[in-house]
């Protein structure tokens, strides 16, 4: 885990909101036809729509969170779905608790 990359990824209010929404996707996003939230995550289009940001901004934010290992991407046809990397988030919490 690259701490600097992780904290950079977390240093934006909208990216923090996206992580919070993805914690309980069934509560924050409409039902999707392709892929289950628990298995594949949430389609980028739903995340973009909820955020109110442009597609390019959302893609950049999701890519940054993925590079920080906080999200897992799954490709289904032409669509990319994202879900939280709960193992990495748990490690981050333990790291903060133990080291910082």
């Amino acid at each position: 885990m690259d701490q600097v990359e992780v904290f950079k990824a977390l240093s934006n209010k909208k990216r923090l909101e996206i992580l919070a929404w993805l914690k309980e996707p069934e509560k924050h996003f409409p039902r999707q036809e392709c892929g289950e939230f628990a298995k594949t995550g949430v389609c980028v289009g739903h995340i973009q729509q909820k955020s109110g940001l442009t597609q390019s901004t959302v893609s950049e934010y999701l890519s940054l969170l993925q590079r920080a290992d906080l999200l897992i991407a799954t490709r289904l046809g032409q669509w990319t779905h994202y879900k939280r990397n709960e193992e990495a988030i748990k490690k981050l919490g333990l790291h903060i608790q133990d080291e910082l």
Side-chain angles (χ1 to χ4, degrees), residues 34 42-46 55 73-82:
C34 62
V42 177
C43 179
V44 172
H46 290 307
Q55 178 70 36
T74 302
R75 188 90 173 156
L76 293 176
Q78 65 179 345
W79 307 109
T80 303
H81 291 69
Y82 286 91

Side-chain angles (χ1 to χ4, degrees), residues 83-100:
K83 67 179 181 177
R84 289 164 44 112
N85 183 345
E86 295 298 342
E87 185 177 320
I89 292 170
K90 184 177 180 178
K91 281 183 183 179
L92 175 61
L94 292 172
H95 174 75
I96 291 170
Q97 181 180 341
D98 296 342
E99 303 294 328
L100 300 179

Side-chain angles (χ1 to χ4, degrees), residues 40-58:
T40 60
V42 177
C43 179
V44 172
H46 290 307
I47 297 169
Q48 187 268 326
Q49 190 173 29
K50 183 164 180 74
S51 71
L53 301 172
T54 65
Q55 178 70 36
S56 61
T57 299
V58 170

Side-chain angles (χ1 to χ4, degrees), residues 51-76:
S51 71
L53 301 172
T54 65
Q55 178 70 36
S56 61
T57 299
V58 170
S59 292
E60 174 63 29
Y61 284 3
L62 294 170
S63 179
L64 182 61
L65 290 165
Q66 183 183 12
R67 284 193 309 270
D69 203 28
L70 298 171
L71 292 181
I72 298 168
T74 302
R75 188 90 173 156
L76 293 176

Side-chain angles (χ1 to χ4, degrees), residues 25-37:
E26 57 285 330
K27 182 177 174 182
H28 297 282
F29 298 100
R31 183 183 154 110
Q32 45 189 31
E33 292 183 28
C34 62
E36 298 174 29
F37 290 138

